[in-house]
């Protein structure tokens, strides 16, 4: 999965092809990086500047006024902490539950194993967009709407994660488990302390993928929360646009930068692990 | 392996089974049951038989929503898939510049839908850079998100921008599996770049193409965030796709029964698309020695 890292065959290119590929490169870079640049530029402007010349490419100076205003108007740090807490809890819970389940499905012989595996896989077909209404009414009846539990528990098990852990465990030799049993290690000890560390590449890919997905998620927190205390950052940034009279785009774009920067940094630092999970096939 | 204790596999699976039951299977059954009731969340549900389905079909809402969702998905899947393929082939070269541009394209897939939606709202604004650029070129412009004729297409274009990186990455992984010797042999036989693509690359990329097409079809069928942020289903319902319609029924109109009937139908379509996926993946002729995951 080094897709973004290394290139493929590029033997013997003529000058004309070289030129074409340079032009393609430039156009692609403008189309995909231009919007980020425009977001950043707008966030450095002031409202009068934008009203006077909305499409003028440069800010008069590097002004951080928009960021100050956003940080004052919205408790960004608290929403950020909420979001990170939620996404981390979901990712850890998924790993903690996928390990024993994956172990049973990959390594143990028991009646009903195939049925259990099919059951896990079939839940891949049921997205949150199908379950949210009944889950909302269920959590409402349990008094859990507007709590972290409503944001975290519904994603406690990832069918994809369980599947990926099972696949990774299939290639771990049985001898390792037998030797550990001989040494008197219990099943949970084997699962979490011996097999867990061996699956590090898979688990870190899973963690990153799940973390980024839930950090970004808008749909579920929108449906499950109305309360400031548990609101997440994407919701708060989307609200920036809906508040007040007239859209103050410099504020919205400043919020956008604050929302995207952490994910882009994670992406830059851990591209390979993220790609492992994204390109995984069931 | 033999479990250490006959009950241990079941105990190890129990937490997963419990979560899947509570948050996946039971909700699905509840949705099916609720679809036969009229329920506004305030007063007790009232049994109405197939009435919810009749109204959805009879009022044309179901057909309209379905056609809009299919239209949006068709545009998104076709454009992001073919652009992703073109970019994968064009950018599959060594060197830091190419790696950076590949990363830039893929980064849009990693960033939140909210960020992407807000960013493009500003770009497509009447005062935004896109309209300014068109005016600068002497071309006519319009309210891209405010006009029912263009709003859905604008959302599709934004979605294409966001998920093309996903298609590209899958195709790049597929390209890595093609032995370089095949290209070299074809080049020695005098095949030009197009014929090499047509007869060497494409046949071997077919499984990747089937995978990209079907997964992005299922994903775009579930589009919500981009609609909620950019258009709220409007103007004149022109961007009310399936999931947004369900959301609106529950949280705007307080019609849980109607929403549940929509959910049941929606789930039916997802199953249909999955069957299509399995069929396409099989028809895409998986090669031997394919990486398991």
């Amino acid at each position: 999965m080094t897709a973004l890292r290394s290139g493929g065959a590029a033997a013997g290119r003529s000058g004309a092809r070289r030129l074409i590929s340079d032009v393609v490169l430039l156009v692609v870079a403008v189309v995909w990086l231009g919007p980020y640049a425009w977001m950043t530029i707008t966030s450095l402007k002031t409202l009068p500047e934008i009203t006077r010349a909305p499409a003028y490419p440069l800010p008069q100076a590097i002004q951080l006024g928009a960021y100050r205003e956003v940080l004052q108007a919205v408790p960004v740090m608290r929403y950020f902490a909420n979001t990170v807490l939620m996404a981390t809890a979901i990712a850890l819970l998924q790993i903690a539950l996928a390990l024993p389940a994956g172990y049973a499905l990959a390594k143990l012989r028991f009646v009903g194993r195939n049925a259990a595996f099919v059951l896990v896989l079939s839940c891949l077909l049921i997205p949150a967009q199908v379950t949210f209404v009944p889950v909302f009414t269920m959590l409402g009846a349990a008094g859990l709407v507007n709590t972290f539990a409503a944001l975290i528990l519904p994603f406690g098990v990832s069918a994809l994660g369980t599947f990926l852990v099972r696949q990774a465990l299939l290639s771990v030799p049985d001898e390792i488990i037998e030797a550990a049993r001989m040494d008197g290690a219990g099943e949970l000890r084997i699962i979490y302390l011996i097999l867990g560390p061996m699956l590090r590449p898979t688990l870190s890919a899973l963690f990153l993928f799940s973390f980024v997905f839930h950090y970004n998620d808008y749909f579920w927190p929108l449906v499950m929360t109305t309360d400031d205390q548990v609101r997440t950052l994407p919701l708060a940034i989307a609200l920036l646009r809906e508040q007040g009279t007239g859209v103050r785009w410099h504020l919205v774009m400043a919020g956008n930068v604050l929302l995207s920067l952490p994910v882009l940094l994670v992406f830059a630092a851990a591209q390979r692990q993220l790609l492992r999970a994204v390109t995984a096939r069931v | 392996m033999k479990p250490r204790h006959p009950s241990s596999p079941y105990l190890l699976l129990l937490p997963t089974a419990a979560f899947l039951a509570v948050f996946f299977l039971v909700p699905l059954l509840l949705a099916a049951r609720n679809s036969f009731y009229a329920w506004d969340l305030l007063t007790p549900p009232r049994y109405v038989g197939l009435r919810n389905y009749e109204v959805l079909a009879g009022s044309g809402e179901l057909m309209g929503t379905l056609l809009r969702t299919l239209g949006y998905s068709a545009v998104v899947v076709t454009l992001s898939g073919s652009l992703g393929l073109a970019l994968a082939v064009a950018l599959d070269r060594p060197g830091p510049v190419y790696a950076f541009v590949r990363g830039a394209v893929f980064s849009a897939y990693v960033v939140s839908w909210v960020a992407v939606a807000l960013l493009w709202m500003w770009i497509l604004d009447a005062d935004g850079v896109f309209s300014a650029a068109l005016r600068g070129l002497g071309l006519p412009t319009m309210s891209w998100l405010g006009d029912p004729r263009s709003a859905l297409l604008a959302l599709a274009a934004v979605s294409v921008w966001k998920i093309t990186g996903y298609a590209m990455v899958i195709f790049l992984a597929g390209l890595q599996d093609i032995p370089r010797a095949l290209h070299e042999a074809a080049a020695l036989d005098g095949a030009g770049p197009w014929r090499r693509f047509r007869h060497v690359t494409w046949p071997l990329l077919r499984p990747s193409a089937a995978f990209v097409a079907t997964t992005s079809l299922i994903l775009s069928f579930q589009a919500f965030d981009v609609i909620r942020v950019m258009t709220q289903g409007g103007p004149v319902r022109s961007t009310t796709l399936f999931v947004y319609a369900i959301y609106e029924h529950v949280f705007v109109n307080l019609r849980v029964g109607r929403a549940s009937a929509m959910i049941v139908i929606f789930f039916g379509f997802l199953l249909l698309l999955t069957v299509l996926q399995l069929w396409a993946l099989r028809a895409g002729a998986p090669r031997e020695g394919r990486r398991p995951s």
Side-chain angles (χ1 to χ4, degrees):
Chain A
M1 294 299 147
T2 48
L4 287 194
R5 284 284 177 89
S6 63
R13 273 176 296 140
S14 62
R17 284 199 66 205
R18 170 99 228 178
L19 184 70
I20 294 174
S21 75
D22 283 353
V23 171
V24 169
L25 206 58
L26 190 70
V27 171
V28 171
V30 168
V31 171
W32 266 276
L33 292 175
Y36 291 126
W38 189 235
M39 163 170 99
T40 315
I41 288 168
T42 307
S43 76
L44 297 172
K45 290 181 175 178
T46 58
L47 189 55
E49 267 181 275
I50 294 177
T51 340
R52 204 174 329 117
Y56 187 74
L58 288 175
Q60 280 169 347
I62 305 289
Q63 295 151 114
L64 297 175
Y67 290 89
R68 265 197 301 276
E69 229 180 295
V70 168
L71 289 170
Q72 264 164 23
V74 180
V76 170
M77 286 323 287
R78 190 173 79 222
Y79 294 145
F80 180 69
N82 283 349
T83 315
V84 169
L85 177 75
M86 175 193 77
T88 309
I90 290 174
L92 290 180
L93 192 57
Q94 287 181 349
I95 288 175
L97 294 178
L99 273 171
Y103 172 77
L105 292 173
K107 289 296 176 193
L108 301 181
R109 255 195 325 263
F110 60 96
V111 178
R113 181 167 80 169
N114 286 338
F117 186 51
V118 169
L119 185 76
V120 170
L121 281 187
S122 63
C123 288
L124 277 173
L125 304 178
I126 312 176
Q129 284 84 349
V130 165
T131 58
F132 79 102
V133 178
V135 171
F136 175 76
T137 54
M138 265 165 44
L139 292 172
L144 287 173
V145 167
N146 265 324
T147 64
F148 276 109
L151 297 179
I152 294 166
L153 291 182
F155 300 102
V157 163
S158 151
L160 179 69
T162 311
F163 175 78
L164 292 180
V165 168
R166 174 198 177 258
Q167 295 303 97
L169 280 171
L170 283 179
S171 55
V172 172
D174 288 355
E175 287 75 35
I176 292 178
I177 298 160
E178 273 155 14
R181 282 181 178 179
M182 223 88 92
D183 288 346
E187 295 290 88
L188 288 180
R189 198 184 157 81
I190 294 176
I191 291 167
Y192 287 110
L193 297 181
I194 296 174
L195 298 175
M198 291 180 68
L199 295 192
R200 230 168 107 179
T202 304
L203 297 184
S204 55
L206 196 60
F207 180 91
L208 277 168
F209 180 72
S210 183
F211 180 90
V212 168
F213 181 87
H214 291 285
Y215 175 96
N216 284 337
D217 190 23
Y218 175 67
F219 177 67
W220 198 264
L222 174 77
V223 171
M224 295 299 160
T225 68
T226 49
D227 186 5
D228 252 14
Q229 293 303 318
V230 289
R231 182 166 289 162
T232 60
L233 196 56
L235 282 177
I237 302 302
L239 270 178
L240 273 181
R241 194 192 56 81
E242 294 165 29
Q243 278 163 355
T245 49
V247 183
R248 291 164 301 168
W249 285 110
H250 60 313
L251 299 187
V252 179
M253 290 303 118
N256 238 2
V257 171
L258 294 174
L259 171 65
S260 338
L261 203 57
V263 177
L264 288 173
L265 290 178
V266 167
F267 171 61
Q271 222 180 68
R272 233 149 56 99
Q273 283 91 326
L274 209 54
L275 276 173
R276 261 178 73 93
V278 170
T279 53
R281 296 178 188 193
V282 174
Chain B
M1 291 175 72
K2 234 171 87 84
R4 189 171 267 177
H5 190 274
S7 68
S8 63
Y10 304 102
L11 288 175
L12 292 171
L13 277 167
L14 184 65
T16 294
F19 270 91
L20 292 181
V22 173
F23 292 112
F24 290 84
L25 302 174
V26 169
L28 195 60
L29 295 176
L30 277 179
R33 196 204 57 181
N34 288 345
S35 71
F36 301 116
Y37 286 81
W39 185 20
D40 60 5
L41 287 171
L42 308 168
T43 53
R46 192 163 41 82
Y47 182 78
V48 292
L50 287 172
R51 180 101 188 97
N52 286 319
Y53 293 94
E54 283 162 17
V55 173
L56 284 174
S59 65
E61 179 186 346
L62 180 62
M63 210 32 152
T65 311
L66 182 62
L67 287 179
R68 283 190 293 268
T69 310
L70 284 175
Y72 165 88
S73 299
V75 172
V76 172
V77 171
T78 329
L79 289 187
S80 69
S82 38
L83 248 178
L85 175 61
L87 288 179
V89 171
L91 299 177
D92 187 25
R93 305 204 194 294
V97 179
Y98 285 98
F100 180 72
V101 175
R102 289 195 297 268
V105 175
F106 185 62
S107 72
Y109 182 69
V110 178
V111 161
S112 161
W113 274 103
V114 169
V116 170
L118 290 171
L119 173 54
W120 281 92
M121 274 184 93
W122 170 221
I123 290 174
L124 295 173
D125 192 81
D127 291 330
V129 269
F130 186 63
S131 290
L134 286 180
R135 275 194 295 271
L137 293 169
L139 295 168
T141 183
M142 60 192 285
S143 170
W144 301 103
L145 295 170
D147 191 315
R149 285 168 304 169
S150 61
L152 192 58
L153 217 55
L155 289 190
V158 172
S159 308
V160 169
W161 184 82
K162 188 168 192 309
I163 71 164
T164 291
Y166 169 74
M168 179 192 77
V169 160
I170 302 285
F171 281 124
L172 278 168
L175 284 173
Q176 308 255 301
D177 288 350
I178 298 178
R180 189 182 294 198
L182 281 180
H183 275 280
E184 281 159 5
L188 279 180
D189 288 346
W194 168 249
R195 288 189 55 199
R196 286 207 299 273
F197 174 79
R198 179 72 191 75
H199 296 290
V200 179
T201 313
W202 175 244
L204 294 175
L205 275 186
R206 281 228 319 257
S208 306
F211 182 77
V212 164
T214 49
T215 44
S216 53
L217 178 60
I218 291 174
L219 275 183
S220 56
F221 217 73
Q222 301 168 12
F224 174 83
D225 294 5
V226 71
I227 302 165
R228 176 62 175 60
V229 174
M230 293 183 84
T231 58
Q232 286 93 52
V236 259
R237 300 186 70 73
S238 62
T239 58
T240 304
L241 305 192
F242 243 110
V243 177
Y244 193 81
I246 296 170
Y247 168 83
E248 215 177 36
H249 274 306
V250 178
F251 292 96
V252 181
N253 307 328
L254 295 180
R255 283 190 182 133
V256 178
R258 199 72 52 82
S260 302
M262 281 293 252
I263 288 175
V264 170
I265 297 167
F266 178 65
F267 183 64
F269 276 103
L270 284 183
L271 284 185
L272 203 68
L273 292 181
T274 307
V275 171
L276 184 77
Q277 172 172 35
L278 293 176
W279 174 81
L281 289 178
R282 202 154 296 162
R287 290 170 292 134
E288 272 177 42
R290 160 132 237 111
R291 268 191 313 239
S293 59

